[in-house]
Amino acid sequence: MTEEKTLKISKIEDGIVIDHIKAGSAMEVLSVLKITSRSGFTVSMLMNVRSSNGSLKDIVKIEKKILKKKELDLISMVSPDATINIVEKFAITEKFRVSLPENVEDLIKCQNQNCITNAKEPVKSVFKREKTGSRNNYRCQYCERTMSLEEIRNSIIK
Ligand code: CTP
Ligand code: ZN
């Protein structure tokens, strides 16, 4: 294909490219990373672009950004198939797929209103992953409530 057809946004020199984000979830990825226009990062975003396998995806590029473990965990919950590309001097030095964490501490609000983690003097929430077939659920370690990945996504503490 000609460059006019393929090149959408430029390559970055240093930073991270979050690729293969579920189409439509790019803004949510930025949101869990707490990146806004005031954060000072140079960010580029592609939404609903064609991936090599023919399906649609989103891409987020953040220059000079280093991701912490907690941030990787949050991205995995929003978009479990996302890949992280670490770019240094224009070259990709590391590429990996995010993976759902076994334990999620202090990032999720338990959906059970009576849970001690939602009490007036709250205890930090702790969820453990439970895999049943291809489904991933998370169980609150205090009240035993299980939450689907979809519920988990909607319960990320802002
Ligand atoms: N990228 C970038 N800046 C660089 C290098 C790569 O923005 N200096 C971006 C590319 O534009 C692409 C992503 O990082 O969106 C992954 O690049 P690459 O591994 O070269 O592409 P693919 O082989 O298509 O990736 P994959 O196999 O993971 O689909
Ligand atoms: Zn609970």
Side-chain angles (χ1 to χ4, degrees):
M1 264 194 271
T2 59
E3 203 166 81
E4 286 75 9
K5 278 212 146 163
T6 54
L7 194 67
K8 291 246 168 52
I9 42 179
S10 38
K11 300 210 168 233
I12 61 169
E13 186 170 354
D14 285 288
I16 52 156
V17 177
I18 311 170
D19 198 355
H20 301 280
I21 299 170
K22 199 190 314 173
S25 298
M27 303 277 261
E28 209 176 325
V29 166
L30 284 180
S31 155
V32 296
L33 297 178
K34 295 197 162 66
I35 290 176
T36 67
S37 49
R38 274 162 274 116
S39 306
F41 285 105
T42 302
V43 176
S44 37
M45 188 160 39
L46 283 161
M47 293 196 268
N48 297 310
V49 292
R50 196 68 63 188
S51 136
S52 49
N53 71 15
S55 60
L56 294 175
K57 65 172 181 180
D58 289 359
I59 305 174
V60 171
K61 305 187 185 191
I62 311 167
E63 293 178 46
K64 309 271 160 67
K65 170 80 180 164
I66 293 166
L67 289 171
K68 301 185 190 92
K69 164 86 168 89
K70 271 199 169 182
E71 293 175 316
L72 288 169
D73 289 351
L74 286 164
I75 296 168
S76 77
M77 293 187 271
V78 168
S79 190
D81 295 324
T83 56
I84 308 294
N85 297 274
I86 298 173
V87 178
E88 292 170 69
K89 299 200 175 99
F90 288 108
I92 296 175
T93 55
E94 234 184 293
K95 183 195 282 281
F96 56 91
R97 202 177 125 174
V98 294
S99 54
L100 287 169
E102 290 306 315
N103 295 293
V104 183
E105 272 178 48
D106 208 19
L107 293 177
I108 306 295
K109 181 178 153 47
C110 183
Q111 286 306 93
N112 171 9
Q113 293 310 316
N114 297 323
C115 180
I116 188 166
T117 60
N118 289 320
K120 226 177 180 176
E121 283 174 58
V123 180
K124 282 181 185 173
S125 74
V126 183
F127 287 86
K128 251 189 172 30
R129 186 163 76 103
E130 287 186 353
K131 198 165 160 63
T132 338
S134 62
R135 289 193 70 82
N136 284 286
N137 293 312
Y138 279 89
R139 186 184 295 276
C140 174
Q141 295 305 285
Y142 290 97
C143 74
E144 312 249 299
R145 163 74 68 102
T146 57
M147 287 163 62
S148 67
L149 203 52
E150 188 61 31
E151 286 176 299
I152 286 283
R153 257 177 82 181
N154 293 322
S155 308
I156 294 171
I157 298 165
K158 298 267 154 97

